[in-house]
Amino acid sequence: MSLTLLLPLVIPLATAVLCLAAWSSVRAQQIVSVAGGLAHVAAAVALVGAAWREGILVGQAGGWQAPYGISLVADLFGAAMVLLGAITGLACIVYSLGSVDERRERHGYYALVQVLLFGVTGSFMTGDLFNLYVWFEVMLMASFVLLALGGERPQLEGAVKYVTLNLVASGLFLASVGILYGMLGTLNFADMAVRVQTVERPLLLAITSMLLLAAFLVKAGAFPFFFWLPASYHTPPVAVAALFAGLLTKVGVYAVTRVYTLIFTQEMGLTHGLILGIAGLTMVTGVLGAATHMDIRRILSFHIISQIGYMLMGVGLAGIALARAAQVGGAEGAALRSAAALGLAGTVFYIIHHIIVKANLFLVGGVIARFTGSYDLKRIGGLYKSNPWLAVGFLVPALSLAGIPILSGFWAKLVLVKSGIDAGQWVIVGTALAVSLLTLYSMTKIWAEAFWKDAPANAGAAGADPAALEAGARFGRWATGGPIAGLAVITVVIGLGAGGVYRYAERAAGQLLDPQGYIEAVLGVKAAAAGDAQGAAKDATRDGEVVTP
C-alpha cells in the first residue's frame, strides 16, 4: 500500500499517540498537535494531487485482495474530503491555542481532536461498509468526549442528546450491515455494487436501503432527524463546535453520495426522489429555525441543517435525472444525463465551499463572544467600530453562505440551480432560491445586531468566559485571528477560482457516475467485466428499468 494513501490516516493517529505520551506537558501537546495538523494538510494535498493525476487510488491492507481484505480507496471526491478535513482540523487546532482553557488541555483535548480527525479521514477513505460503520463509531466516541470535556451542565445535557440519537443511528446502521451481508455475502463497496445487480429479494434490498439512508440522514443532521444538532452544537468550546460543524455532518452526506451512486442504483426514481424531497424539507426547516433565534451559535447550528439540504439536492437531482434519461433516451436523455452530472458536481462544489465557510463562522462567533461576553444578539453590538477586521472576517463567510456573487457559495448554488432547471425540478429550484433569501436575512440579522448597532450599556468583555480570556492572553490574537483570516482567504480564492474548482468537481462527479470505473479499480478488470455481464443479464429481465448510471 502506498504512503500516499497511508499517511493521511497514520499522521492523525500518530499525533494522537504523541499527545498522550506528552500528557504532563500542555505546551508539548500543543506543539505536537499543530505540527501534526500541518503534516496532515501536506499529506492530504499529496493525496489530491495523486488522485488528480492517476485516477482512483486503491490500497489493500495486509496484501489481502478485495473483497476479502480491508480496502482503502481515494477518488477525487474522497481525496477532496480528506483535504478539507485536514484544513479544518488545522484551523481549529490553532484556534484552540487561544480559546481552550488549560484545564481541558490537560485532560487530553488535543489527542481527542486528532482521534476525531483520524475517524473522519478513515470514513472518507474506506472501501467497505462495515469499516465505514467502525469509522463512524471512532468519530462518535471522540466527539462525545469532546462535547462532555469540561463537565459543565449544558455540555453534559448536549452530549447526552447528541449521543442518544447517534447511537440509534448506529443501531440502524449495524442492522443494515447485517442484512446486506446476509443477502450479498460481502460488504466491500465495489463487490456489493456487482452483486446487488442479481439480488433475488429486491423488496428486502429496498427496505434495507431505506434503513441505511435513515442512519446516514441522522449523521448528516437532515430532516426529520436534525433536532439533536441545535440542541448540542452550542454547548462545547467554539473550536470544537467549529470542527463538528465543518466535518461531522458532511461525513453523513458523503456516505449518502457514495452509497447511493455506487450501490443502490436500482430504483433511482424512488430512492433519489425521496432524497430530493428530504433535501427540500431540510433546507426549509433549518433556515426557519435560524430565522427565529437570536443566539449566534443556535443560528449557525440551524444553518448547518439548512445547508445540508443543498448538498442532498444534488444527489437527488442526479438520481431522478438518470432515471428519466433511461426512460426517454435520445437527445432528451442525453440532456438529462448532463443535468445529473451537473447535480453531482454541484454537491461536490457545495461541500467544498460549505466546510470552510461554516467552520469559519463558528470561529468568528467565538471571537464575538470573547469581546462582548455573550452570544445573544440583543446584548451585544458596536463591533464594526471597535473591531473592523473582525467585521470583514464575518462578512466574507456570511455573504458566501448566503450565495452573494462572486463568493464561493454563489457558484455552488448556481450549479445546483442550473441542474434543477435542466432536470425540470422547479419546486426544489424555487425552494433553494427562497432559502437563500432567508439565509441572507439571518446573516444580515447578525451583522446588524452584533456589528452595526451601538453596543448596549451593559456589553463588554467583563461578561466573557474567563477561561477563554486566559487562553487568549497566553497566545494573543493571532491564534484566533489567524485561522479566521486563513479560512476567509480560502473562501475568496474558491470564489475567484471557481472555474478550476468546478472542473475538479466535474471530474469527481464523472467518477461518481461511473460505478464500473470504481469497481474495476478496486476489484480488477475481470471483476468489472463480470459485473457488466451480470448487469446486462439483469437489465434484460426488468423491462428497461435503470440499474446503473
Side-chain angles (χ1 to χ4, degrees):
M1 187 180 295
S2 70
L3 282 176
T4 306
L5 274 172
L6 278 177
L7 283 178
L9 277 172
V10 170
I11 288 172
L13 178 60
T15 305
V17 172
L18 291 174
C19 286
L20 291 174
W23 186 272
S24 59
S25 172
V26 170
R27 181 56 63 87
Q29 291 183 54
Q30 292 168 341
I31 293 171
V32 167
S33 194
V34 172
L38 290 168
H40 194 197
V41 171
V45 170
L47 182 69
V48 169
W52 179 264
R53 293 189 306 270
E54 303 169 25
I56 299 174
L57 307 175
V58 180
Q60 311 292 350
W64 289 84
Q65 292 302 307
Y68 306 106
I70 297 174
S71 300
L72 293 180
V73 185
D75 59 1
L76 288 172
F77 183 35
M81 298 299 287
V82 171
L83 177 57
L84 291 165
I87 291 172
T88 306
L90 176 60
C92 292
I93 289 166
V94 174
Y95 188 93
S96 298
L97 302 179
S99 63
V100 175
D101 60 280
E102 190 171 351
R103 182 168 63 92
R104 285 186 174 88
E105 291 176 318
R106 289 192 177 280
H107 285 82
Y109 172 81
Y110 293 104
L112 287 166
V113 169
Q114 294 295 337
V115 171
L116 180 64
L117 293 174
F118 176 59
V120 168
T121 303
S123 298
F124 294 146
M125 295 181 65
T126 185
D128 179 277
L129 189 62
F130 179 75
N131 284 298
L132 179 62
Y133 167 78
V134 173
W135 291 118
F136 271 29
E137 295 311 294
V138 171
M139 290 190 303
L140 179 61
M141 289 186 291
S143 57
F144 174 70
V145 179
L146 283 169
L147 269 175
L149 193 65
E152 299 167 3
R153 179 165 182 161
Q155 282 185 266
L156 296 177
E157 290 178 355
V160 168
K161 295 172 184 176
Y162 171 83
V163 78
T164 299
L165 192 59
N166 275 273
L167 285 175
V168 172
S170 296
L172 290 173
F173 195 168
L174 192 58
S176 303
V177 166
I179 296 170
L180 288 169
Y181 185 73
M183 294 177 65
L184 304 175
T186 183
L187 291 172
N188 180 278
F189 285 152
D191 202 29
M192 289 175 72
V194 172
R195 299 192 187 198
V196 77
Q197 309 297 341
T198 55
V199 69
E200 296 179 355
R201 304 173 71 180
L203 179 59
L204 180 59
L205 181 69
I207 294 172
T208 307
S209 74
M210 292 298 100
L211 286 176
L212 196 59
L213 179 61
F216 291 157
L217 292 177
V218 172
K219 300 291 185 182
F223 181 90
F225 309 110
F226 60 84
F227 49 85
W228 60 268
L229 195 155
S232 57
Y233 272 29
H234 68 287
T235 59
V238 172
V240 175
L243 193 62
F244 287 8
L247 297 181
L248 293 193
T249 52
K250 312 315 173 296
V251 176
V253 175
Y254 171 85
V256 171
T257 306
R258 176 69 65 196
V259 171
Y260 289 86
T261 57
L262 178 62
I263 301 170
F264 298 116
T265 58
Q266 294 73 35
E267 302 288 347
M268 298 184 88
L270 175 63
T271 57
H272 290 67
L274 178 61
I275 291 172
L276 189 62
I278 289 172
L281 291 170
T282 302
M283 289 183 203
V284 172
T285 52
V287 80
L288 291 178
T292 59
H293 279 84
M294 294 296 289
D295 182 283
I296 294 174
R297 294 171 299 180
R298 289 186 181 273
I299 292 172
L300 296 179
S301 295
F302 273 104
H303 272 302
I304 297 173
I305 300 165
S306 176
Q307 304 300 302
I308 292 296
Y310 285 94
M311 301 169 207
L312 294 175
M313 173 182 169
V315 180
L317 286 171
I320 290 176
L322 288 172
R324 287 181 55 202
Q327 295 172 354
V328 299
E332 185 180 354
L336 286 168
R337 285 190 290 273
S338 296
L342 197 63
L344 281 180
T347 288
V348 176
F349 199 135
Y350 207 95
I351 293 174
I352 292 172
H353 136 78
H354 182 263
I355 288 177
I356 300 299
V357 164
K358 182 54 66 174
N360 203 11
L361 283 171
F362 269 88
L363 299 183
V364 171
V367 175
I368 289 173
R370 197 172 80 182
F371 286 155
T372 64
S374 178
Y375 289 97
D376 187 347
L377 293 176
K378 296 179 180 179
R379 299 175 57 189
I380 62 180
L383 288 173
Y384 176 75
K385 294 179 180 178
S386 60
N387 295 277
W389 288 109
L390 180 61
V392 175
F394 169 77
L395 275 179
V396 171
L399 295 179
S400 181
L401 190 74
I404 300 299
I406 55 174
L407 296 169
S408 59
F410 169 77
W411 302 112
K413 290 181 180 180
L414 179 63
V415 174
L416 289 172
V417 168
K418 178 67 164 56
S419 173
I421 293 173
D422 291 349
Q425 300 297 317
W426 296 99
V427 173
I428 195 67
V429 169
T431 301
L433 294 175
V435 168
S436 288
L437 291 176
L438 288 173
T439 302
L440 180 60
Y441 163 74
S442 296
M443 294 300 104
T444 303
K445 178 171 65 176
I446 296 176
W447 169 261
E449 295 291 330
F451 292 93
W452 199 247
K453 78 177 185 185
D454 292 333
N458 59 347
D465 180 5
L469 290 174
E470 184 269 334
R474 283 187 286 138
F475 289 94
R477 294 188 178 185
W478 67 267
T480 51
I484 291 172
L487 294 179
V489 168
I490 293 174
T491 299
V492 173
V493 169
I494 293 173
L496 295 177
V501 177
Y502 176 74
R503 284 191 292 273
Y504 186 98
E506 189 177 37
R507 278 187 59 177
Q511 290 181 340
L512 290 171
L513 288 172
D514 179 25
Q516 284 305 131
Y518 185 98
I519 293 167
E520 181 177 338
V522 176
L523 298 181
V525 176
K526 292 182 179 179
D532 284 338
Q534 289 177 333
K538 191 67 174 177
D539 282 342
T541 65
R542 295 188 59 184
D543 298 325
E545 289 184 30
V546 62
V547 174
T548 63

